[in-house]
Amino acid sequence: MLYKIEAYFTYLYLRRHLENKDYSKIKYFFDSDGQRTYKYDCCDSKTEKIAEAVSNVVGKIVKSNECLYKSGIGLIMLRRRKYKVNIKIGIQFPPFRSHAWLEVGTDQKLFGEGSEKYTVIK
């Protein structure tokens, strides 16, 4: 239950800064610099619970760009807990389509359904 509440408030935080184009407030979470220290580099039961909570919250609120919100909220929540997680954004032509997902550690994916069809740009 607490993960759902945190996911909801993180959604409000992320949406507010995206809508106001105030990217400097969220840039810290999206940068994947080498200065971070991580405690965890793989998926475990906690990551699965967080992913489930994020999916439940975003699925009820967001109507478009669902994968971007899921990935952004998941990234913020997992990095707060010192997980080594990176956001990946991929595109596909034709027709133009995009998708966002998270990679935990080296190859474990969250929200990455069908991500193999996309060319990674970040």
Side-chain angles (χ1 to χ4, degrees), residues 3-5 7 48-58 77:
Y3 287 141
K4 285 184 183 181
I5 294 169
E48 297 300 323
K49 288 177 184 175
I50 290 171
E52 183 180 338
V54 169
S55 292
N56 287 338
V57 169
V58 172
M77 289 178 68

Side-chain angles (χ1 to χ4, degrees), residues 60-115:
K60 292 177 183 173
I61 299 171
V62 178
K63 301 301 178 210
S64 64
N65 300 324
E66 191 173 319
C67 62
L68 180 62
Y69 278 101
K70 282 182 183 178
S71 298
I73 295 166
L75 180 79
I76 291 170
M77 289 178 68
L78 290 170
R79 282 205 173 157
R80 282 181 186 152
R81 290 165 176 80
K82 305 280 188 201
Y83 280 88
K84 184 175 183 175
V85 60
N86 289 306
I87 192 166
K88 297 291 181 177
I89 299 172
I91 58 171
Q92 179 185 23
F93 290 106
F96 177 78
R97 292 169 45 178
S98 63
H99 186 50
W101 64 93
L102 296 177
E103 286 188 354
V104 181
T106 54
D107 61 351
Q108 297 168 321
K109 296 179 183 176
L110 294 175
F111 317 119
E113 304 84 18
S115 60

Side-chain angles (χ1 to χ4, degrees), residues 26-33 36 38 75 79 86 122:
I26 57 174
K27 186 178 185 298
Y28 169 79
F29 294 106
F30 286 83
D31 281 345
S32 57
D33 58 359
R36 294 183 190 275
Y38 300 106
L75 180 79
R79 282 205 173 157
N86 289 306
K122 180 184 178 349

Side-chain angles (χ1 to χ4, degrees), residues 16-37:
R16 180 175 148 234
H17 292 299
L18 287 175
E19 286 178 352
N20 293 335
K21 296 184 173 126
D22 189 8
Y23 305 120
S24 63
K25 301 285 185 188
I26 57 174
K27 186 178 185 298
Y28 169 79
F29 294 106
F30 286 83
D31 281 345
S32 57
D33 58 359
Q35 298 175 346
R36 294 183 190 275
T37 55

Side-chain angles (χ1 to χ4, degrees), residues 39-51:
K39 289 171 77 175
Y40 312 103
D41 65 349
C42 63
C43 285
D44 57 11
S45 62
K46 189 184 286 188
T47 58
E48 297 300 323
K49 288 177 184 175
I50 290 171

